Amino acid sequence: MNGPLPPELLEQHLIDPEICIRCNTCEETCPVDAITHDSRNYVVDASICNACMACISPCPTGAIDNWRVVARADPYPVDAQLGWDVLPPAAAARAASDHGVPEDVRRLTDEAHAALRNAVRPRSAGTPSVNLYTPSRPAIATVTGNFRLTAEDAESDVRHIVLDFGTHAFPVLEGQSIGIVAPGTDASGRPHHVRLYSIASPRDGERPGYNNCSLTVKRVTLDHDGAPVLGVCSNYLCDLRKGDRVNVIGPYGESFLMPDDPAAHLLMVCTGTGSAPMRAMTERRRRGRGTSGEGRLVLFFGARRPGELPYFGPLQKLPSDFIDVNLAFSRVADRPRRYVQDLIAQRGAEVGELLADPRTHVYVCGLKGMEAGVLDAFRAACAARGTDWDALVPVLRDEGRLHIETY
Amino acid sequence: MSAISYADKIPNNVNLSEDRALQRALEHWQPNYLAWWREMGPDGALDFDVYLRTAVSADPGGWAHFDYVKMPDYRWGIFLAPQETGRQVNFGAHKGAPAWQDVPGEHRANLRRIIVTQGDTEPASVEQQRHLGRTAPSLYDLRNLFQVNVEEGRHLWAMVYLLHRYFGRDGREEAEALLERRSGDVDNPRILGAFNERTPDWLAFFMFTYFTDRDGKFQLNALAESGFDPLARTTRFMLTEEAHHMFVGESGVARTIQRTCEVMREIGSDAPDKVRAAGAIDLPTLQRYLNFHYSVTIDLFGADQSSNAATFYTAGLKGRFEETKRGDDHVLQGAAYTIMEPRDGAIATREVPLLNALNEVLRDDFIKDSVGGIERWNKVIARHGLQHRLIVPHKAFNRRIGTFSGMHVSPEGEVLSQAQWQAREPQWLPSREDRAFVASLMGRVVEPGKFAGWIAPPPTGINRQPIDFEYVRFG
């Protein structure tokens, strides 16, 4: 873990039952008797353990050196640990006690990942915290900024919203999402559905060192079929004013994460608000610039017009030796419609080379409609150099190097 | 507590420099020890730089210090666990008396015998394992072998310190004799049977460290309860090191099983000849090795009924495993224990005085502890979706010591005639062919991060180092 945890969270000390040989050394060593065992497992009582680390070096196996970030009020109890055959996965910091990941979140995540099931996180990715805050126990964030990203005359209203978590710890990694439930109830008197938003800022905050994050939210005024509809949550968020308080749940997302390896290349393809995770990852790289072994950043970004492309201005200012930016506009007057897949095809040789490079990590995020075209463009880029894209997909997926999130 | 003195020739936390006579005696013994190490320690490995754990102090923070060291330069020394103020004799006739800081005269002979018997096992296992470095399946395993070896050497030091410090001339003579006996030597063997068996291959080494070093764990635990405080403190510190040895055994066998299961799935067969042809150790062979090491090890606990064990207990010299965590009166007069024994050609049970059955109590505690690890090995098999399970042989199987020693019993507990036993023994104990096959797989792998084909890599490295760390550098 980096830095101290805030009071709501606990880095819980756990013993890996798969590696532990039940030698009793830790129990013997523990100066506060936090370690106990039954005939099956050795376990640490979170209410007693003070993380003095006295047990760590005497353990012959390394099983003792396991930690999971949990809500302090809700650590894994001793009884549960005694029943374990394996540790809960580090990636999936667990659901808080009474509330698993909300059904809404599960459904939305499933839909978003429909194009690529069972993706795994990059090997060098950080360990994400997941589901630390639940609908019944949300984090309260304060709005510290809400700016329109799209031009005043643009049809779409896309906003950059900054949330400050104050004293709540809300650890996120680039690529993760947070959940928002708009206040109030729907027409049937039920609470509104959860909506997920990718964070657009890197892990150390929208402003480095601050406990805040940013979202890229498009005000929904039409449904998928183009019929007028007012999206409850997006309108709630887009209308927020500085100082307003928002209930936030999550974070979510265990696979769509960036590699920490500075030598890894990032090939990013997005449209509209799908740019949020790309901005987070790019900003993470930008802040860490100058460290050795920098991998390449290549971005394909599509919007209807320049004025509707979130972060168009700031993107223009990034030096080309830092990021290779390719913008596609589909509704510019007197110009042919250009989509991201057209630009990928145009640079097919370089894309094919990138896809064949074992350091490359691919991220696709945006509307479902872009998915097929982008994947076809990848397939063609690979075929041109004799590589079978469809055979490459499972390899990329299993190595944590292919991530697709569409909605 | 006192820190370990590195200014002294012999690192120690017992203020050795304040007892000049003792210091001189140990300094006289030290070159003999080093000569023994050069002759009988790991073969051909004197110049290797090995990433070893060395105690720099006996408290939890300091005793696991890792660095490269040539084994003959290892800082063997004398470390006792911190003294507990007000510690008492916690069992037997002297229960409640202050723990002894010196040897009570009437128990001198018995204590010396206990210490010599324990001390003799330490150099014995180094001797048994001295050729294994030639066939290590990886640098990681080679380092673990050497760690086990140097710590067995340190355990010898621990016992020799007690002999020199508390037993005068007798003790010094016993300390010399510990360097003179040789494992498997016809004329001057080690004291206990299992320590004269060969450890010919790495599967045998892993089984040995799993089962036989676990006997060590239980013996040390029983001695850590001793009313003779220096013995209790010495063995308590030894236990932290002993844990590493059992780790090497449990994880070594688990990794062997893991690899076997992977191969079984790859070739889609569990037929032993096919598994062997694919370069892995078939599960029936693993079971036979297990049967052998298990049965030889449980003999180490001694006779089922033993008046010596009762004497040691009542005198406060050697307790039970986790003595002070038990809820009884810790005197045990009039208490009973159920043991198994042969009766009319079958295995029956009988109640005997608990005091006389303390060897059996310790053996049963050992068995319970061993079974846990075997179940964890079975989980490795189950995780591969395979049906095969390793079993724990019956307590009466293949015994040489105790009431079952004249009896033939199958691993399932069926009493057999001599002819039946002879016909079926090859199914249950490693045959010459089994050992030859396992030996045929033993080839040295020295490239960092590479492992022999019959064993899977470990899940984590040593001391948070990566698995492909250069754990041993060859001189």
Side-chain angles (χ1 to χ4, degrees), chain A residues 17-25 27-29 37 40 53-62 65 85-86, chain B residues 53 60-61 63-64 214 217 236 239-240 243-244 246-247 250-251 322 325 369 376 379 383 459-462 464:
Chain A
E18 273 192 297
I19 300 179
C20 169
I21 59 161
R22 284 75 175 167
C23 68
N24 201 56
T25 305
E27 187 172 323
E28 180 71 29
T29 307
H37 70 278
R40 186 183 172 105
M53 313 298 269
C55 57
I56 300 298
S57 61
C59 172
T61 67
D65 199 8
D85 282 331
V86 293
Chain B
R53 179 178 73 179
W63 73 270
R214 188 174 308 272
K217 164 184 169 179
R236 201 159 285 289
L239 275 167
T240 34
H244 170 259
M246 285 177 296
F247 156 68
E250 179 164 339
S251 62
E322 299 192 330
K325 292 187 183 170
D369 201 46
R376 290 190 289 280
K379 282 185 187 159
R383 271 204 296 275
T460 55
I462 294 294
R464 298 181 174 180

Side-chain angles (χ1 to χ4, degrees), chain A residues 27-112:
Chain A
E27 187 172 323
E28 180 71 29
T29 307
C30 180
V32 294
D33 293 334
I35 301 181
T36 56
H37 70 278
D38 66 0
S39 58
R40 186 183 172 105
N41 283 348
Y42 275 76
V43 300
V44 186
D45 187 333
S47 67
I48 303 175
C49 176
N50 58 7
C52 73
M53 313 298 269
C55 57
I56 300 298
S57 61
C59 172
T61 67
I64 195 83
D65 199 8
N66 281 283
W67 308 84
R68 295 286 186 278
V69 174
V70 297
R72 184 174 292 277
D74 189 30
Y76 294 105
V78 161
D79 283 353
Q81 296 178 50
L82 287 172
W84 286 349
D85 282 331
V86 293
L87 280 183
R94 74 218 185 92
S97 61
D98 300 323
H99 313 276
V101 172
E103 193 48 44
D104 274 357
V105 174
R106 247 188 265 271
R107 182 177 49 75
L108 290 169
T109 309
D110 277 357
E111 284 172 19

Side-chain angles (χ1 to χ4, degrees), chain A residues 305-330:
Chain A
R305 302 171 189 90
E308 291 179 47
L309 190 132
Y311 309 112
F312 181 71
L315 258 182
Q316 302 292 312
K317 294 185 192 134
L318 292 175
S320 60
D321 66 340
F322 169 67
I323 183 169
D324 176 348
V325 179
N326 302 267
L327 304 178
F329 300 108
S330 59

